[in-house]
Amino acid sequence: MNGGVVDWTPDLSVGVPNLDADHKKLVELLNRVFVAAYAGVEEEVLAGVLAELAAYTKDHFTREEAHLAQRFYPDLPAHKAEHDRLVAELAQISRRAIDERQEGMSADVSEFLRRWLVDHILDRDRAYAEYLKSL
Ligand SMILES: [Fe+2]
């Protein structure tokens, strides 16, 4: 376990420079959450970084949905529903991360957050990346 740290690698590219930039920023914010959680910072500090991640995630989803709507992505309704679910999951797990912060973030929570971003956001986006490439 490397503290949950996540890397953005070029194979995660969706072929849209501004959405790739968003994804890199999400990775950076999540890594800041891990650093803060493992450093055992004050509740407000960790809550602040998590709030920044949540706000940026929502902004990113809005931008991504607009981009896909303009290009008539057929699976947009499902992708949007997934976004809503991910926002709700982040709120829940953030609560746990804050509660656990004194003992340091549990492996459970950091693994959840890593999967939340890598498997559910970055990996799921490959489906629309394929669609955009085919246009
Ligand atoms: Fe995305």
Side-chain angles (χ1 to χ4, degrees), residues 11-59:
D11 62 301
L12 294 169
S13 172
V14 293
V16 183
N18 67 319
L19 296 178
D20 281 345
D22 279 7
H23 289 155
K24 288 176 195 167
K25 175 79 179 174
L26 284 172
V27 165
E28 185 195 313
L29 286 169
L30 184 60
N31 285 325
R32 278 176 48 202
V33 167
F34 288 140
V35 168
Y38 283 103
V41 292
E42 300 283 304
E43 174 167 351
E44 308 84 76
V45 176
L46 180 58
V49 192
L50 283 162
E52 212 183 314
L53 175 63
Y56 197 85
T57 299
K58 284 182 198 163
D59 289 349

Side-chain angles (χ1 to χ4, degrees), residues 61-79:
F61 286 167
T62 302
R63 282 191 285 275
E64 194 171 77
E65 287 163 13
H67 187 90
L68 296 175
Q70 278 163 7
R71 285 154 188 84
F72 307 104
Y73 179 49
D75 291 330
L76 184 55
H79 201 85

Side-chain angles (χ1 to χ4, degrees), residues 23 60 64 121 125 128:
H23 289 155
H60 163 63
E64 194 171 77
I121 301 184
D125 286 357
Y128 77 66

Side-chain angles (χ1 to χ4, degrees), residues 102-117:
Q102 265 148 356
E103 301 88 59
M105 186 183 266
S106 67
D108 246 29
V109 169
S110 69
E111 178 61 11
F112 181 95
L113 282 169
R114 197 190 61 75
R115 298 180 73 89
W116 175 84
L117 182 63

